[in-house]
């Protein structure tokens, strides 16, 4: 008999203390194993303690308080050092992304207030549609680099937010933000917000009586998105100076995916085509190193363009020094002249020095796929003798001996149950035909709802006539969307049910499927019947341990290269000329260094949830646009349930209110990393459909697709029934005979034998079957994603206010 063990809720009483003083024996027992006289000095503790006491945590209260105060002091000093480093003369400029969240906000007016000459020196830099400038303030010992992006340019905002130190949101005094700004905020929150500041523009333009009410109303609106955040004003020069001080002294928030990698925002770029091919050449990117030390032997990922190798890293003179050099004139010693940026450019070639050159032996390879070996998956087939032995065994095992009355035919003997079952011999059965379940909907009500929704969501100008509305409607896109809505509704009402084809045999149509006794407990080998694409991917023996080891090396190991805050020029080799043209058009050029193995292809699993603002049906294996950490690419994903089992059921649609796992072929990325899923519409715009995070890199995660074949009881006996319409020939019944059956009302059964040649079959169940019940057969197969990874994402059409909220049409299932 097992001894009783107390549970976790057992009452714990205080131990008895036997007097004030302890005896010699108890003191010796407590101190057994302690090494006396081996001092250990902890710099956080003012006294010397033995090693055993420190390992056991036996510190006095004074020492514990002193240690805690020292730890607090260290953390405060680390935060202050981080603040002082950012924007100082030795660190990178404080990069600020200005995002106006309303159409009424004047971005040039905000920049005019920030570009005051009394505050500091302003250096303009304009490339394409994105305006930026550098603000140097020796008085505050700080330098800022301001960039801007409109909320309608969604991918530009998301890419620049990945490298921005602070985001400055400009709000409208009456509404705060419009629908486009709200949509932009949703994407930024899902990706991960760095440090941010809220500023209101235009409060002084309101009447004095309405200014206080407008600020109170705006504070209530802002609390929904930004609780406990203060609103700063940006209408006068003094308010702009206060805003700059707030930006300089603000505590920095960290994004995990960029803190462990070196990254760079390109200030300037140049392209030198190769002699062999003008379409490919060397791209020179200049900017400040951020995040971690940049090594020339590591790979470089340019967002939206792909992975590349670096030839060398140059260290030119900083074009924006906080304290410029002063040269005194020889003729007039009292006359001094500051070196401007334009004058410094001429001296750059003289001061240019090569910091590092790539070492071919240490440089990371650009190999993304494994070269498959055609002989690696060779199998040995069974011999003819083994096949004949298996057939003989099946014939012997299929024979069943029964005791039957004399004169019983073989057909009647099949209907006689075993000794444990019931055998009445009566010819009682229910001859019930199949009942069609039709969902009744009122067409009048449905059409009325459509008209109401269209009337509420459509906004048309006075000059637009109704007869011109149809010119902008794509009939083919409307038909495809209607078909998707129907398929999604059918999947909700009849999950995984498919019709057995009449023109193709079921044993051929479903030859890759198998039956499982239990989806949860039945074994399934993850290395079985893998596709050819699995020979091209990389797989870790233990992904978690590899990730921990790499992150530990980043924290402890010193890397040679360009330090954080240095202004460098990267020579990136074998870059297409389209990347430089992309930069010249005004798009930001952002580069991230890759950790080891992050250029290699594998199977990525991401947990996502449906975005509430989008109700458009999304089918599996449709091409979607991914923002995964610092990457942006296109791929066709699979959807599956997010469970802790070893097998995960495939989902045909991206359902709402349930977290699903997205599986794709993609480059290895070490989590944590945020995930955003976009879908390109027929009009060229990209709409957000789901948000989440990277779960794992695991090719062994099994996604199992289920199909359900349905049949209907034709004749019902006690525990027997004749089922039809599941199959349509005798051979299919024999093929699927080993698979277990179930019904919608919870009965279990199996196929006894086929009847006739039209697919009727005799089945036995664990209870009496109802005539209105439906007989089902579950079949399963493992599915794999498509190899559709593409690092290039086309530029979307900018979002408009009227295009963000779209009405969902009602679908008539009849």
């Amino acid at each position: 008999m097992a001894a009783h063990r107390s549970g976790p809720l057992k009452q714990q009483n205080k131990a008895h203390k036997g007097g004030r003083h302890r005896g010699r024996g108890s003191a010796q027992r407590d101190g057994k194993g302690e090494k006396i006289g081996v001092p250990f000095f902890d710099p956080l503790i003012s006294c010397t303690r033995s090693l055993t006491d420190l390992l056991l945590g036996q510190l006095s209260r004074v020492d514990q308080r002193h240690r805690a105060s020292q730890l607090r002091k260290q953390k405060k000093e680390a935060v202050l050092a981080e603040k002082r480093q950012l924007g100082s003369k030795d660190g990178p400029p404080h990069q600020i992304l200005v995002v106006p969240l309303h159409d009424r906000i004047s971005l040039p007016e905000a920049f005019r207030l920030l570009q005051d000459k009394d505050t500091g020196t302003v250096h303009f830099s304009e490339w394409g549609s994105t305006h930026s400038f550098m603000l140097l303030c020796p008085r505050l010992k700080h330098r800022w680099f301001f960039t801007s992006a409109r909320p309608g340019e969604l991918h530009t905002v998301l890419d620049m937010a990945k490298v921005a130190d602070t985001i400055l949101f400009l709000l409208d005094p009456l509404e705060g933000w419009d629908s486009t700004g709200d949509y932009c905020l949703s994407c930024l929150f899902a990706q991960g917000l760095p440090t941010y500041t809220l500023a209101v523009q235009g409060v002084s333009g309101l009447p004095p009586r309405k200014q206080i009410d407008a600020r109170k109303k705006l504070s209530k609106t802002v609390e929904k998105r930004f609780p406990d955040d203060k609103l700063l004003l940006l209408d006068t020069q003094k308010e702009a100076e206060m805003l700059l001080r707030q930006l300089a002294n603000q505590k920095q928030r960290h994004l995990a995916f960029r803190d462990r990698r070196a990254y760079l925002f390109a200030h300037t770029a140049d392209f030198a085509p190769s002699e062999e091919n003008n379409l490919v050449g060397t791209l020179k990117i200049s900017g400040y190193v951020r995040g971690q030390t940049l090594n020339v032997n590591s790979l470089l990922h340019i967002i939206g363009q792909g992975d590349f190798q670096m030839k060398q890293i140059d260290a030119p003179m900083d074009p924006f020094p906080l304290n410029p050099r002063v040269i005194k004139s020889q003729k007039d010693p009292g006359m001094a002249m500051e070196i401007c940026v334009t004058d410094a450019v001429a001296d750059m070639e003289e001061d240019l020095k090569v910091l590092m050159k790539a070492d071919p032996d240490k440089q990371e390879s650009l190999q993304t796929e494994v070269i498959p070996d055609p002989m690696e998956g060779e199998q040995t087939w069974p011999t003819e003798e083994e096949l004949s032995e298996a057939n003989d065994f099946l014939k012997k095992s299929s024979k069943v001996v029964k005791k039957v009355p004399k004169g019983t035919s073989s057909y009647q003997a099949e209907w006689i149950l075993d000794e444990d079952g019931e055998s009445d011999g009566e010819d009682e059965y229910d001859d019930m035909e199949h009942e069609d379940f039709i969902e009744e909907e009122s067409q009048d009500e449905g059409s009325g709802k459509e008209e109401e929704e269209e009337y509420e969501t459509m906004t048309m100008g006075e000059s637009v006539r109704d007869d011109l509305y149809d010119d902008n409607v794509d009939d083919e896109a409307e038909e495809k969307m209607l078909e998707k809505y129907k398929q999604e509704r059918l999947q909700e009402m009849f999950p995984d049910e498919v019709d057995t084809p009449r023109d193709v045999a079921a044993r051929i149509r479903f030859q890759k499927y198998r039956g499982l006794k239990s989806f949860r407990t039945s074994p399934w080998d993850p290395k079985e019947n893998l596709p050819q694409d699995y020979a091209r991917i990389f797989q870790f023996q233990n992904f978690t341990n590899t990730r921990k080891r790499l992150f530990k090396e980043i924290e402890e190991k010193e890397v040679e290269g360009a330090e954080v805050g240095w202004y460098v020029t990267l020579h990136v080799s074998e870059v297409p000329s389209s990347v430089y043209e992309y930069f010249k058009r005004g798009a930001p050029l952002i580069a991230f260094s890759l950790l080891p193995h992050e250029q290699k292809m594998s199977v990525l699993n991401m947990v996502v949830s449906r975005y509430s603002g989008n109700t458009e049906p999304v089918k599996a294996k449709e091409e979607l646009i991914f923002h995964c950490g610092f990457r942006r690419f296109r791929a066709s994903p699979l959807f599956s349930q997010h469970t802790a089992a070893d097998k995960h059921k495939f989902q045909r649609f991206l359902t709402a209110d349930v977290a699903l796992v997205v599986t794709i072929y993609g480059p290895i990325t070490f989590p944590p990393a945020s995930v955003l899923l976009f879908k390109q519409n027929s009009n060229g715009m990209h709409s957000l459909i789901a948000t989440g995070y990277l779960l794992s890199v695991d090719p062994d995660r099994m996604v199992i697709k289920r199909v359900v074949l349905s049949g209907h009881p034709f004749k019902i006996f006690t525990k027997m029934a004749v089922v039809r319409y599941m199959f349509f020939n005798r051979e299919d019944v024999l093929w699927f005979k080993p698979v277990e059956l179930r019904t919608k009302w919870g009965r279990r059964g199996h196929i006894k034998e086929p009847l006739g040649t039209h697919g009727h079959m005799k089945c036995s169940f664990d209870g009496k079957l109802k005539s209105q019940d439906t007989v089902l057969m579950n079949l399963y197969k493992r599915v794999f994603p498509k190899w559709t990874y593409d690092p290039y994402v086309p530029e979307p059409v900018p979002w408009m206010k009227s295009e963000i909220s779209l009405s969902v049409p009602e679908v008539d299932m009849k």
Side-chain angles (χ1 to χ4, degrees):
M1 183 176 180
H4 173 70
R5 296 180 181 274
S6 59
L9 302 178
K10 181 180 179 296
Q11 180 179 352
Q12 300 290 338
N13 298 325
K14 289 184 177 180
H16 174 68
K17 296 182 179 179
R20 182 177 179 182
H21 301 285
R22 293 189 301 168
R24 183 182 300 176
S26 62
Q28 290 178 354
R29 285 193 300 270
D30 294 342
K32 188 177 182 180
E34 183 178 3
K35 296 181 180 180
I36 307 297
V38 183
F40 177 78
F41 181 72
D42 190 343
L44 299 181
I45 303 174
S46 59
C47 62
T48 302
R49 306 284 294 177
S50 66
L51 179 61
T52 308
D53 289 345
L54 291 174
L55 292 177
L56 297 178
Q58 296 176 355
L59 298 177
S60 64
R61 290 188 177 181
V62 177
D63 294 339
Q64 290 177 3
R65 291 172 184 170
H66 184 64
R67 185 181 181 87
S69 64
Q70 292 289 334
L71 290 174
R72 286 195 302 270
K73 187 177 180 181
Q74 284 185 358
K75 291 180 180 179
K76 288 181 181 179
E77 291 177 353
V79 172
L80 290 174
E82 183 182 9
K83 286 183 182 180
R84 292 164 183 162
Q85 179 73 12
L86 183 62
S88 64
K89 62 178 182 178
D90 299 326
H94 193 156
Q95 185 165 340
I96 296 174
L97 173 62
V98 183
V99 180
L101 297 179
H102 203 282
D103 287 340
R104 291 197 291 262
I105 294 174
S106 176
L107 192 59
E109 178 64 21
F111 276 7
R112 185 187 64 81
L113 293 174
L114 295 171
Q115 294 169 359
D116 185 30
K117 295 181 179 180
D118 297 336
T119 306
T121 308
V122 180
H123 300 285
F124 295 96
S125 173
E126 181 177 344
W127 26 280
S129 60
T130 304
H131 300 271
S132 61
F133 66 93
M134 186 75 70
L135 178 62
L136 307 178
C137 183
R139 180 166 53 89
L140 297 178
K141 299 180 181 180
H142 207 84
R143 54 180 176 172
W144 293 272
F145 178 60
F146 286 90
T147 58
S148 63
R150 289 283 179 181
E153 303 169 357
L154 191 58
H155 289 309
T156 302
V157 174
L158 292 176
D159 290 344
M160 297 182 72
K162 293 172 183 175
V163 295
D165 298 314
T166 303
I167 299 180
L168 176 59
F169 293 113
L170 299 181
L171 307 180
D172 182 72
L174 298 178
E175 299 181 5
W177 50 74
D178 54 11
S179 57
T180 308
D182 185 68
Y183 179 71
C184 178
L185 285 176
S186 300
C187 298
L188 288 173
F189 272 99
Q191 178 178 266
L193 266 183
T195 309
Y196 61 89
T197 302
L198 306 177
V200 185
Q201 186 189 62
V203 176
S204 60
L206 298 176
R209 296 181 180 179
K210 294 184 178 180
Q211 290 183 6
I212 299 177
D213 295 338
R215 293 183 63 177
K216 289 182 179 179
K217 185 178 179 181
L218 183 60
S219 299
K220 292 182 180 179
T221 305
V222 170
E223 282 182 359
K224 299 177 182 178
R225 285 280 190 182
F226 307 97
D228 302 329
D229 284 326
K230 295 182 179 180
L231 295 174
L232 302 178
L233 300 179
L234 186 58
D235 289 327
T236 62
Q237 197 61 50
K238 186 175 291 186
E239 293 172 352
E241 292 183 5
M242 292 178 61
L243 178 61
L244 288 176
R245 291 183 180 273
Q246 170 68 16
L247 294 174
N249 298 324
Q250 202 170 12
K251 182 181 178 181
Q252 293 297 308
R253 301 175 65 182
H254 295 275
L255 297 179
F257 70 87
R258 75 180 187 185
D259 286 344
R260 294 188 175 95
R261 300 169 178 87
Y263 59 96
L264 180 141
F265 182 87
H267 289 262
T268 60
D270 191 14
F271 183 75
S274 62
E275 298 178 356
E276 301 176 355
N277 188 1
N278 293 331
L279 299 178
V280 178
T282 301
L283 181 66
K284 299 179 181 179
I285 307 174
S286 299
Y288 294 91
V289 180
R290 302 169 184 269
Q292 295 287 336
T293 303
L294 179 60
N295 192 307
V296 70
N297 294 320
S298 61
L299 296 179
L300 200 69
H301 175 80
I302 300 178
I303 294 180
Q305 305 298 333
D307 303 335
F308 305 96
Q309 286 180 332
M310 290 180 285
K311 289 183 179 179
Q312 70 180 35
I313 300 179
D314 298 338
M317 188 181 67
D318 192 343
F320 306 106
L322 187 59
N323 298 312
R325 291 184 298 175
V326 178
I327 297 178
K328 293 186 178 180
S329 177
Q330 296 179 357
K331 297 180 180 180
D332 188 1
M335 182 178 178
M337 178 181 65
E338 290 187 356
I339 296 181
C340 301
V341 177
T342 56
D343 300 329
V345 173
D347 299 335
M348 270 184 149
E349 296 182 359
E350 299 179 1
D351 297 339
L352 184 66
K353 59 180 180 180
V354 178
L355 189 64
M356 288 185 70
K357 284 192 175 182
D359 186 358
D361 298 333
K362 299 180 180 179
Q363 196 171 24
E364 290 282 345
S365 173
L366 280 173
Q367 181 184 2
T368 60
E369 303 176 13
V370 179
I371 300 175
D373 185 5
M375 301 301 294
E376 187 177 1
E378 186 182 3
Q379 298 179 352
T380 56
W381 295 96
T383 61
E384 295 182 358
E385 296 180 357
E386 293 175 345
L387 291 174
S388 61
E389 290 179 1
N391 291 331
D392 295 340
F393 177 75
L394 290 175
K395 290 178 181 178
K396 293 179 182 178
S397 60
S398 61
K399 295 181 181 179
V400 179
V401 180
K402 287 186 178 181
K403 294 181 179 180
V404 297
K406 293 182 179 181
T408 305
S409 63
S410 59
Y411 175 77
Q412 293 173 338
E414 291 292 336
W415 290 93
I416 298 178
L417 301 178
D418 298 334
E419 296 180 357
D420 298 336
E422 299 178 358
S423 178
D424 298 332
E426 299 178 359
D427 196 16
E428 298 177 359
Y429 60 87
D430 299 330
D431 189 5
M432 303 292 292
E433 294 294 330
H434 171 59
E435 298 179 3
D436 297 328
F437 295 93
I438 301 177
E439 181 182 356
E440 298 181 358
E441 295 181 354
S442 174
Q443 296 183 355
D444 297 335
E445 294 179 0
S447 60
K449 291 180 180 178
E450 291 181 2
E451 293 177 0
E452 287 181 9
E453 290 184 359
E454 291 179 359
Y455 178 76
E456 290 177 357
T457 56
M458 287 177 54
T459 56
M460 301 180 63
E462 296 178 357
S463 61
V464 181
R465 296 180 300 174
D466 291 341
D467 54 356
L468 298 179
Y469 178 78
D470 293 335
D471 296 341
N472 299 324
V473 176
D474 190 355
D475 295 336
E476 294 183 1
E478 290 286 325
E479 291 293 331
K480 291 180 180 179
M481 187 60 63
L482 180 62
E483 186 64 26
K484 282 187 179 180
Y485 277 114
K486 288 184 178 181
Q487 292 179 5
E488 189 179 27
R489 296 287 179 86
L490 287 173
Q491 177 65 20
E492 292 177 1
M493 292 189 294
F494 308 102
D496 300 328
E497 288 194 31
V498 297
D499 295 330
T500 306
R502 301 290 298 270
D503 54 345
V504 182
R507 63 186 181 278
I508 298 176
R509 167 64 180 82
F510 304 108
Q511 60 184 347
K512 295 183 180 180
Y513 290 81
R514 69 180 70 176
L516 295 178
K517 187 173 183 181
S518 172
F519 182 78
R520 184 178 63 86
T521 60
S522 295
W524 197 310
D525 187 5
K527 303 296 184 182
E528 176 186 358
N529 294 333
L530 298 178
Q532 190 65 28
D533 289 337
Y534 261 53
R536 304 163 58 187
I537 65 173
F538 289 85
Q539 185 174 1
F540 295 95
Q541 186 174 5
N542 193 321
F543 177 74
T544 305
N545 290 348
T546 304
R547 173 177 168 271
K548 289 180 179 179
R549 178 178 56 81
L550 287 176
F551 287 178
K552 189 175 182 180
E553 290 179 358
I554 293 173
E555 296 176 357
E556 299 178 354
K557 188 177 180 181
E558 294 184 0
V559 181
E560 295 182 358
E563 297 290 338
V564 177
W566 290 6
Y567 186 83
V568 297
T569 299
L570 309 180
H571 295 251
V572 188
S573 58
E574 300 297 328
V575 180
S577 60
S578 59
V579 179
Y580 182 62
E581 297 295 332
Y582 181 73
F583 175 75
K584 287 175 64 177
R585 289 197 301 267
L589 193 62
I590 300 169
F592 274 83
S593 68
L594 298 181
L595 299 179
H597 314 297
E598 284 196 328
Q599 80 279 12
K600 301 173 183 177
M601 297 292 290
S602 188
V603 179
L604 274 62
N605 302 305
M606 313 169 185
V607 179
V608 299
S609 299
R610 188 67 186 264
Y611 173 57
S612 58
N614 191 302
T615 57
E616 181 181 349
V618 180
K619 200 173 182 179
K621 298 184 181 180
E622 285 188 27
E623 187 178 71
L624 301 177
I625 298 168
F626 287 75
H627 278 259
C628 180
F630 58 91
R631 277 191 169 99
R632 186 174 79 240
F633 55 87
R634 293 184 294 173
S636 300
L638 293 180
F639 304 137
S640 60
Q641 293 180 351
H642 182 34
T643 59
D646 60 339
K647 295 182 290 295
H648 310 273
K649 184 177 171 296
F650 170 76
Q651 296 290 327
R652 288 176 170 81
F653 290 89
L654 184 61
T655 57
D657 302 329
V658 178
L660 298 180
V661 175
V662 172
T663 303
I664 59 169
Y665 288 115
I668 294 171
T669 305
F670 292 100
S674 58
V675 174
L676 281 78
L677 270 64
F678 293 87
K679 182 180 179 182
Q680 184 170 356
N681 302 328
S682 58
N683 55 6
M685 293 186 297
H686 295 173
S687 57
L688 179 67
I689 61 172
T691 61
Y693 60 92
L694 180 61
L695 178 64
S696 64
V697 180
D698 184 14
D700 288 341
R701 188 180 188 275
M702 293 185 292
V703 180
I704 308 299
K705 182 179 181 180
R706 182 184 73 172
V707 297
V708 180
L709 305 181
S710 59
H712 306 280
F714 176 51
K715 296 180 180 180
I716 299 177
F717 299 93
T718 309
K719 290 186 179 181
M720 292 278 189
V722 177
V723 180
R724 60 180 179 179
Y725 301 146
M726 183 177 288
F727 304 107
F728 298 100
N729 57 71
R730 184 183 184 89
E731 290 75 12
D732 288 343
V733 177
L734 294 174
W735 180 269
F736 291 100
K737 185 178 179 181
V739 183
E740 187 182 19
L741 301 176
R742 67 179 181 89
T743 69
K744 288 190 175 182
W745 288 13
R747 296 298 181 190
R748 298 280 178 175
H750 61 275
I751 301 173
K752 296 289 289 184
E753 66 171 356
L755 298 178
T757 59
H758 291 77
H760 292 205
M761 54 186 181
K762 183 168 57 175
C763 306
S764 64
F765 296 90
D766 57 355
K768 188 174 181 179
L769 205 65
K770 300 294 183 180
S771 59
Q772 60 269 33
D773 204 350
T774 304
V775 181
L776 305 175
M777 176 182 287
N778 295 338
L779 300 176
Y780 304 91
K781 77 166 182 178
R782 185 178 179 183
V783 291
F784 303 90
K786 292 182 178 181
W787 193 289
T788 57
Y789 170 77
D790 187 3
Y792 175 72
V793 178
E795 297 181 10
V797 177
W799 272 101
M800 303 299 292
K801 289 179 64 177
S802 59
E803 299 289 346
I804 291 179
S805 58
L806 300 175
S807 60
V808 181
E810 292 290 335
V811 180
D812 187 5
M813 295 307 300
K814 296 182 181 179

